[in-house]
Amino acid sequence: MSQSDLLVVTSASGKQATHLLRFLPSSLPLRLICHSESSADRLRVSHPNAEVLTGDLSSLSFCASILHNATALYHIGPTFHPFETTIGLALVHAASTEHGNRNSRFRHFIYSSVLHSSIRKMLNHDCKRYVEEAIVESGLPYTILQPTHFMEMIPAAKFAQEHGDRVVFPAKWDPSVGFSFVALKDFGEAGAKVLREGEKHYSASYEICGTGRVTYNEIMGIVGQKIGKEVVVEQVGLQEAVDGFMEMMFQGSDEVDPYTRDGAERMLLYYNRRGLIGNPNVLEWLLGRKPTSVAEWVEEQVAKSE
């Protein structure tokens, strides 16, 4: 991408977009889309040269307006939103229309999906499956990125700052079940590379994992070694786990849509039995280096907390 291009990023105030934007040239024209005015205000401070807009992404007319004269779209869907699929389909339709215009500059739809979107038992995976299908069938030049569990779920810095020589990690699922992890900074770097290289990544779906199989028991052992404390892992019940997840994601569990709570419950039940496991080879190829390991990530977080 060049200074004559225009990149549109949705959910632009979230963690994924924050890490993506750090790897893009400061001179790149940006149109950043967010949900609330408070988020828009923060973006206007952090990206003073960007065009910042708020609006309803389930509206076809709004989607069409944000893609006018755009070169690329990096779409990050709103997590556990009851209309996440509707939003994705609306953007695919708007991008297809924009791409089909005679003087269109639109040439890349990048979708941040999820690892194993074919898993129908989890609502937050299943809703992305329909968006992926629409993208593939649209005729658009696209890249689908499928990230796994983010390392930012690991409370290394928080535990490092707590007093005492013993801390408790309340596991929301069986801590002996395996997961693959990826650092948000690695995912942001990979997404930026896909944007920069463009055509090289057309019609590709990339599973984005930074590790192979690792359990939360193993991770908390690493955390304990790095912070010099005993980390005790205690699995909590489903109700407490869901409430804790709602608090972590949405700063409360009382005012969220019932669909959102349903999605969290299904995800936690699935994680408790099966986890989420992938392979780090694709990310290593994209980055041109080994992805950040859990131990490296924990060390970085502990260092930042000191």
Side-chain angles (χ1 to χ4, degrees):
M1 301 191 75
S2 68
Q3 294 184 25
S4 62
D5 293 325
L6 173 62
L7 171 64
V8 179
V9 181
T10 60
S11 299
S13 64
K15 292 180 180 179
Q16 285 193 45
T18 298
H19 285 80
L20 169 73
L21 294 171
R22 287 173 182 167
F23 289 97
L24 296 175
S26 59
S27 58
L28 179 67
L30 297 171
R31 183 176 290 158
L32 305 179
I33 314 303
C34 57
H35 176 68
S36 68
E37 285 301 328
S38 59
S39 295
D41 289 341
R42 290 194 299 272
L43 285 171
R44 291 183 182 110
V45 172
S46 60
H47 299 279
N49 296 322
E51 179 184 5
V52 180
L53 300 173
T54 61
D56 179 9
L57 282 171
S58 65
S59 163
L60 286 173
S61 60
F62 180 68
C63 289
S65 69
I66 66 171
L67 293 180
H68 180 63
N69 285 333
T71 307
L73 167 66
Y74 194 104
H75 174 48
I76 305 164
T79 304
F80 289 106
H81 193 287
F83 299 118
E84 182 177 350
T85 301
T86 302
I87 289 168
L89 296 180
L91 284 166
V92 173
H93 178 81
S96 297
T97 302
E98 179 68 21
H99 183 59
N101 291 337
R102 178 176 297 179
N103 297 318
S104 173
R105 302 191 305 150
F106 192 86
R107 60 175 182 266
H108 206 174
F109 190 123
I110 301 97
Y111 178 42
S112 175
S113 182
V114 69
L115 181 66
H116 305 324
S117 58
S118 58
I119 298 175
R120 294 176 295 164
K121 295 179 179 67
M122 288 193 282
L123 294 179
N124 59 315
H125 286 235
D126 191 45
C127 68
K128 294 176 176 66
R129 176 170 61 92
Y130 295 98
V131 181
E132 288 190 10
E133 180 182 48
I135 291 170
V136 170
E137 294 180 347
S138 68
L140 287 165
Y142 71 86
T143 308
I144 296 171
L145 305 176
Q146 300 169 322
T148 185
H149 218 51
F150 291 121
M151 289 184 188
E152 280 65 19
M153 298 283 289
I154 304 168
K158 177 177 179 292
F159 285 174
Q161 293 173 337
E162 289 187 8
H163 298 294
D165 56 8
R166 182 180 184 272
V167 293
V168 176
F169 175 70
K172 297 178 177 63
W173 44 77
D174 184 345
S176 67
V177 172
F179 287 82
S180 291
F181 289 79
V182 66
L184 271 170
K185 65 173 187 175
D186 284 0
F187 184 44
E189 183 178 344
K193 183 174 183 180
V194 167
L195 278 166
R196 288 195 307 271
E197 296 182 344
E199 188 174 358
K200 179 179 179 179
H201 303 284
Y202 286 176
S203 304
S205 296
Y206 295 141
E207 293 187 355
I208 306 295
C209 300
T211 74
R213 182 187 186 278
V214 60
T215 71
Y216 270 85
N217 281 333
E218 293 168 333
I219 287 172
M220 290 305 137
I222 293 171
V223 172
Q225 292 174 1
K226 300 300 182 183
I227 65 176
K229 299 178 184 180
E230 179 188 9
V231 181
V232 179
V233 181
E234 297 179 354
Q235 185 175 358
V236 301
L238 178 62
Q239 186 67 43
E240 184 178 346
V242 174
D243 288 344
F245 184 80
M246 292 290 100
E247 181 66 33
M248 178 182 67
M249 295 293 293
F250 306 105
Q251 290 72 54
S253 59
D254 296 328
E255 298 181 0
V256 297
D257 190 279
Y259 172 93
T260 301
R261 193 172 186 87
D262 289 345
E265 289 170 348
R266 289 199 193 187
M267 184 191 74
L268 294 176
L269 286 169
Y270 189 94
Y271 280 0
N272 188 63
R273 180 174 295 179
R274 295 184 172 90
L276 190 67
I277 301 171
N279 187 289
N281 288 344
V282 170
L283 182 58
E284 181 176 345
W285 169 72
L286 281 170
L287 296 177
R289 60 169 174 81
K290 290 284 187 181
T292 303
S293 69
V294 171
E296 290 168 340
W297 187 87
V298 170
E299 283 182 356
E300 291 174 4
Q301 301 309 304
V302 172
K304 289 178 183 178
S305 71
E306 293 175 347

